[in-house]
Amino acid sequence: MFFTYIGLYVPFFYITDFAINIGIDEDMAFYTLIIMSAASIPRRLLLPYIADKIGNINIMFPSTVFCAVLLLCWVAVRTLAGLLVVLILFGYFSGAA
């Protein structure tokens, strides 16, 4: 469980540096962290009700797997549009993990 959470929080620390390294201006790089955090809000509000019915592990495991796949996809991102897609999906799925 310890290593799972280390992997989940890596993007929150390095996304702005990565955005600057691929050529995105600093203002938009700052907003990438905000966009990723805001994308997790719907999932954080919705999933406690679903987890009461089907179980916590049944929610956390698929969400963690999707986050791992998205982290592997993050390596191939080189444009702002691709970065935003990965960030929004990662933020959404990390809200449950």
Side-chain angles (χ1 to χ4, degrees), residues 5-17:
Y5 284 110
I6 286 178
L8 283 174
Y9 290 119
V10 165
F12 290 99
F13 289 104
Y14 292 109
I15 195 60
T16 54
D17 292 334

Side-chain angles (χ1 to χ4, degrees), residues 29-53:
F30 172 74
Y31 286 118
T32 56
L33 180 60
I34 296 169
I35 291 168
M36 185 168 52
S37 297
S40 70
I41 292 172
R43 192 111 164 154
R44 289 178 190 264
L45 295 175
L46 176 68
L47 283 184
Y49 301 110
I50 298 171
D52 286 342
K53 292 181 176 41

